[in-house]
Amino acid sequence: MTKKLNIVSFNVPYPPDFGGAIDVFYKLKSLSEAGVQIDLHLFEYGRGRPSELEKYCDKVFYYKRDRSFFKGIQLTPYIVASRKNKELIKNLNASAAPVLFEGVHTTAPLKGKALKSEVTLVRMHNLEHDYYNGLFRSEPNVLKKLFYWVEAKRLKRYQKNLNAARMILSISPSDQSYFEKNLSAESTFVPAFHHNNKVRHLKKKGYFALFHGDLSVWDNRKAAHFLVGIFGKLDIPLIIAGRTEDKKLLEKIELAKNLKFISLQNQEQLDDLLQRAHINIFWSSNASGIKIKLLNALFNGRFCLVNNPVVEGSGLEDLCEVVDDEKSLVYKAIQLMDVEFSDEQYFHRKEKMTAYDNKQNTKRLLEILNF
């Protein structure tokens, strides 16, 4: 029997350099290696058309995202309306293969009866209305703040359309609990896909604390400023890694002897930093989905020092040092820099992270698809 699948992605997932792209890329790679023939449908807006995707897909279709003003004033959420595309439905209907929609962003074809496929799955990367509420609370720009508030309201109202799907694939235990309570569609927890094969056993102490992330996102920039303000007063070396044009952040880092900024260029560079860091710090004001960068640190690093929104409902709480205020953060950072990451902690982490094995979760997807 031919195992054929349509995957509709909200963005081009290569390079896999942010959370959603990582999950999409390594999922399609794992499915391809398991013998699934994939037609990949992508909304392109600024990330190009990488040939790397053709290694894992039979066909790759690109669609232009309509980011016009009109799409922003509809009742349908902007992230959905801007990806509504007749050519997409035509190409999906060219075969009777199941369809995996990546993110609520791509689910416009679920409305109505235009889509022929009887097997439709929706991968939810987080609770989008909660995510946009978080952006609304943290965004300083008034116009952006208004947009995020409106979009959160639209997304909350829109979520009933997900009941048309055969199954929802949630990315965290807390998201799974939400879908079970609020939607009639069947749902199941399928952990995030990623590039890691094993938990590294790092016996020696690391050298510094590390905070990394996409610094074009306000929540990450806000966290970076917060951490720079704290660690600039301590003796602990702190590296901020990412890409940014935030001149104020870079100036603050330059003024402190124990702070350093590194411009991240690739995954290999990041993995090297994770393995040399003694503490990986994750700080967020937005509790949503699961932080794939945290998974990466749990596979490749030592201590993870986080606040509650980073791990709440993830099932990974006991693998991290969880604090929620500046005083506790300082105390715990000083304490951790003086102790080694023990064998006992490593073996506990190794056992817990078996749930995030790509091959195991690919097998689960194949069962859901009846392949």
Side-chain angles (χ1 to χ4, degrees), residues 152-365:
K153 298 295 183 186
R154 291 188 291 203
L155 284 162
K156 183 69 180 291
R157 186 172 56 246
Y158 179 85
Q159 72 179 7
K160 65 180 182 293
N161 292 290
L162 299 177
N163 288 324
R166 173 72 65 86
M167 183 173 286
I168 294 169
L169 310 178
S170 54
I171 202 166
S172 73
S174 59
D175 285 10
Q176 172 60 18
S177 177
Y178 176 88
F179 294 131
E180 286 177 350
K181 292 176 183 176
N182 292 278
L183 295 178
S184 60
E186 188 178 354
S187 59
T188 188
F189 168 45
V190 178
F193 286 75
H194 49 85
H195 78 286
N196 302 287
N197 295 315
K198 63 179 181 179
V199 175
R200 292 184 183 274
H201 195 175
L202 303 173
K203 296 185 177 182
K204 296 180 180 179
K205 286 178 66 176
Y207 305 99
F208 49 82
L210 172 68
F211 175 82
H212 76 277
D214 180 358
L215 296 174
S216 67
V217 176
W218 169 247
D219 188 52
N220 289 336
R221 271 204 321 282
K222 181 181 175 183
H225 279 278
F226 170 71
L227 293 172
V228 163
I230 292 173
F231 278 79
K233 304 170 187 176
L234 304 177
D235 292 329
I236 299 172
L238 172 69
I239 290 178
I240 303 290
R243 297 182 188 178
T244 187
E245 296 179 2
D246 187 335
K247 292 181 180 179
K248 287 186 178 179
L249 177 63
L250 296 175
E251 287 171 1
K252 288 180 183 178
I253 293 172
E254 270 190 41
L255 289 173
K257 293 180 180 179
N258 64 319
L259 304 182
K260 184 178 181 180
F261 176 78
I262 291 180
S263 179
L264 279 180
Q265 302 300 319
N266 52 55
Q267 186 64 50
E268 291 74 19
Q269 183 188 19
L270 174 57
D271 286 347
D272 177 65
L273 286 171
L274 292 171
Q275 291 164 45
R276 290 192 292 118
H278 194 64
I279 305 172
N280 287 284
I281 301 178
F282 299 94
W283 202 268
S284 177
S285 58
N286 196 352
S288 183
I290 192 164
K291 311 296 184 187
I292 294 183
K293 61 185 178 182
L294 172 61
L295 291 183
N296 198 25
L298 289 171
F299 272 100
N300 293 288
R302 295 176 181 82
F303 293 105
C304 288
L305 181 55
V306 309
N307 67 337
N308 255 309
V310 173
V311 289
E312 189 175 9
S314 68
L316 301 172
E317 293 87 343
D318 63 332
L319 298 182
C320 303
E321 301 288 341
V322 185
V323 296
D324 258 327
D325 57 69
E326 180 177 340
K327 186 178 179 181
S328 300
L329 174 64
V330 170
Y331 173 80
K332 185 58 69 172
I334 293 172
Q335 181 188 52
L336 290 176
M337 286 301 294
D338 282 337
V339 298
E340 292 187 0
F341 191 74
S342 69
D343 288 347
E344 183 181 355
Q345 287 169 306
Y346 161 73
F347 286 115
H348 175 57
R349 181 181 289 185
K350 182 181 179 182
E351 181 181 0
K352 194 76 178 278
M353 296 305 288
T354 56
Y356 290 86
D357 179 75
N358 284 346
K359 289 184 179 179
Q360 175 181 306
N361 291 316
T362 298
K363 184 178 179 182
R364 172 75 178 123
L365 276 181

Side-chain angles (χ1 to χ4, degrees), residues 25-35 193 358-359 362:
F25 177 74
Y26 288 103
K27 188 188 304 111
L28 73 87
K29 183 175 184 289
S30 294
L31 286 168
S32 174
E33 290 169 352
F193 286 75
N358 284 346
K359 289 184 179 179
T362 298

Side-chain angles (χ1 to χ4, degrees), residues 69-78 81 84 150 154 157:
F69 175 77
F70 174 71
K71 294 294 183 180
I73 58 174
Q74 299 183 21
L75 292 176
T76 302
Y78 176 69
K84 188 175 182 180
V150 171
R154 291 188 291 203
R157 186 172 56 246

